[in-house]
Amino acid sequence: MSQSLPVSRVINLIPEASQRLWTTDESEGRRRLLASDMGEVLDIDGSFALVAQDGERVVLARSLDRPLRYFLAKSVDGPVLIVAERIDEIAAELARRGWEVQFHPSYSRMVPAHHVTTLRLVGCPDPNPVHKRFFDPPRETLPKDLDLIGRYYIEAVYSELRRWLSVQSPTAPIGVPFSGGIDSGAILLCLYKLLLNEGHSPARLKAFTLSVDGEGEDVRQARDFLSRTSLEMLGEIIEASSSAIDPLRAVGVIEDYKPLDVECAAVNLALLAGIRERYPDWRLLVDGDGGDENLKDYPIEENSELTIRSVVNNRMLYQEGWGVDSIKHSLTYSGGYSRGCVRSYACGHEYGFEGFSPYTRPSIIAVAESIRFAELTDGSHERLYALKGEIVSRGVRSVLGVEMPVFPKRRFQHGSVSASQVARLFPQNEARYRRHFEKLHAARV
């Protein structure tokens, strides 16, 4: 007597309106996932979090700039895969169906960026997912010519901004969260030049800089940058009180507890709240997230797990973490910017903004991966940290014809407040953040 197979169900909580596809639609994206042609998946343009099903086979993929989570639940009829952007959305869906006893936040899984994740819903036990890479750029193919590297890098940034702009309303205002640093500076200059070249008014563009309690080096740096590039008319200061900087609230918004991401999210929420209060209808923001990861501009000394050799020799380490084949890969959070992207995406969603960063696009990452970092730095931390400013400023000069000021690196959360307040507002207390995260979900477990 034949035994009937369990029913395989997928509950997709990703809003269709959240897909930002430039040259195709969601149904075509799903077809490409099911076809398992990695080249076709790579060609899906824009920001996406897609899921497709063919019987017991379910495939998922996302762009680097946004989260995509799943949770495998069990019902008497068979396995049920719940797909969502957030952990709390999964918990709420389980509770709605009377399955809350199955929930734990660590049981949710993040789809790793740049991979197609395949699951087979066959019953109990279901097999582990299989991850197949769809973005695999060649490494270290460019010559050690910083002028050439810079030109390729900024040409790619400009091109991605142009493609993004082409699918936006021609009158929608565009904001740049702006510190005057390398990444936001290059974004602002590219956008300004792009609007002029495309026949749009540059009055659409604003550079928003956060100042907490009227302090912060970012304000002085942003003003200096705008003055030296004759763009003072674009600058706008968003004032916030230090009482509005709430890392514990940020833990809930980004559903994470890593201090640097939590603290960056805390100041980002203050900035976005100020923009929203001043401009109730503003929608588009273009930021510089991912730029540090591409050009490996993080203090290695602050992370005991890293050496300069591991940073320059591991493919897309800062974008993806150690990789899905590594013991250090987190199933719940993925790794690198693949994890940290939530600090921008979730915060923007909280206030109704649609964000974009060209630095997260494969074409720009591909240029970064083609740089011979090991040869250019020869084991020197100082050379590595100086490389980003050299590459971007040379590229801006070549492509835009502008001399871009380059200032020392400073984290967003540190530049927006007085130096004397950094330790008080950002105590780097992961244990506290983790306890708060666990408390948020304790009632559901």
Side-chain angles (χ1 to χ4, degrees), residues 320-384:
E320 298 182 0
W322 296 99
V324 297
D325 297 321
S326 167
I327 288 176
K328 291 188 176 187
H329 175 68
S330 168
L331 297 176
T332 307
Y333 286 105
S334 189
Y337 184 76
S338 178
R339 173 179 190 165
C341 68
V342 182
R343 69 181 180 236
S344 291
Y345 185 85
C347 293
H349 185 269
E350 183 82 356
Y351 286 101
F353 291 103
E354 180 186 324
F356 173 66
S357 172
Y359 298 122
T360 64
R361 298 288 299 144
S363 67
I364 284 90
I365 298 173
V367 175
E369 283 295 290
S370 69
I371 298 171
R372 300 177 186 271
F373 284 101
E375 295 179 37
L376 285 167
T377 58
D378 195 27
S380 167
H381 292 202
E382 290 72 24
R383 289 184 189 175
L384 179 62

Side-chain angles (χ1 to χ4, degrees), residues 19-267:
Q19 311 291 350
R20 306 296 181 199
L21 300 172
W22 300 346
T23 57
T24 186
D25 59 22
E26 188 173 0
S27 62
E28 171 62 15
R30 290 196 298 266
R31 185 200 67 77
R32 294 185 186 189
L33 291 189
L34 290 172
S36 298
D37 184 322
M38 297 301 105
E40 281 199 329
V41 177
L42 179 60
D43 287 340
I44 299 175
D45 279 333
S47 175
F48 61 87
L50 297 172
V51 55
Q53 182 179 13
D54 180 17
E56 68 181 32
R57 181 170 70 106
V58 182
V59 287
L60 308 99
R62 68 180 176 98
S63 49
L64 177 62
D65 63 327
R66 61 187 296 169
L68 176 59
R69 293 189 170 279
Y70 61 93
F71 184 102
L72 188 61
K74 297 295 184 182
S75 76
V76 294
D77 297 326
V80 180
L81 190 73
I82 302 173
V83 181
E85 291 182 344
R86 297 182 56 83
I87 296 173
D88 57 15
E89 291 174 340
I90 292 171
E93 182 66 20
L94 289 168
R96 191 176 74 83
R97 295 175 178 271
W99 300 337
E100 58 265 39
V101 295
Q102 299 186 37
F103 175 76
H104 192 278
S106 66
Y107 295 167
S108 70
R109 297 286 182 257
M110 178 79 85
V111 174
H114 301 149
H115 289 75
V116 172
T117 295
T118 301
L119 302 99
R120 293 194 175 274
L121 307 183
V122 298
C124 189
D126 295 279
N128 278 326
V130 174
H131 306 293
K132 187 173 181 181
R133 179 176 288 281
F134 67 79
F135 176 48
D136 189 13
R139 304 190 73 236
E140 301 181 340
T141 58
L142 284 176
K144 296 186 293 181
D145 181 339
L146 295 184
D147 288 318
L148 181 68
I149 294 168
R151 177 164 62 84
Y152 281 3
Y153 191 73
I154 296 302
E155 281 178 344
V157 171
Y158 186 91
S159 176
E160 290 295 342
L161 285 169
R162 187 171 185 268
R163 296 172 71 211
W164 171 84
L165 185 67
S166 71
V167 298
Q168 309 305 326
S169 165
T171 59
I174 302 168
V176 177
F178 185 70
S179 67
I182 294 170
D183 294 319
S184 63
I187 292 292
L188 188 72
L189 293 174
C190 283
L191 276 172
Y192 182 76
K193 185 76 167 181
L194 176 62
L195 289 170
L196 291 175
N197 289 345
E198 297 295 309
H200 296 278
S201 170
R204 294 172 61 188
L205 188 61
K206 282 190 182 295
F208 294 116
T209 304
L210 179 66
S211 176
V212 176
D213 293 340
E215 296 289 341
E217 286 299 318
D218 280 359
V219 171
R220 289 178 277 276
Q221 180 173 282
R223 285 173 174 156
D224 191 6
F225 185 104
L226 295 174
S227 174
R228 290 164 65 177
T229 55
S230 301
L231 295 177
E232 298 97 324
M233 68 287 191
L234 302 182
E236 190 158 332
I237 306 302
I238 301 295
E239 299 279 358
S241 167
S242 57
S243 62
I245 308 300
D246 185 353
L248 294 186
R249 181 194 171 208
V251 168
V253 172
I254 70 173
E255 301 185 308
D256 204 346
Y257 43 79
K258 287 294 182 181
L260 293 178
D261 290 326
V262 169
E263 294 158 5
C264 180
V267 292

Side-chain angles (χ1 to χ4, degrees), residues 409-436:
K409 176 180 172 58
R410 185 187 305 111
R411 288 193 168 96
F412 182 20
Q413 58 266 45
H414 297 162
S416 58
V417 305
S418 166
S420 63
Q421 295 295 310
V422 169
R424 180 180 70 85
L425 294 172
F426 309 119
Q428 289 277 303
N429 193 336
E430 181 172 334
R432 180 185 178 222
Y433 301 151
R434 187 190 289 266
R435 285 194 301 270
H436 184 68

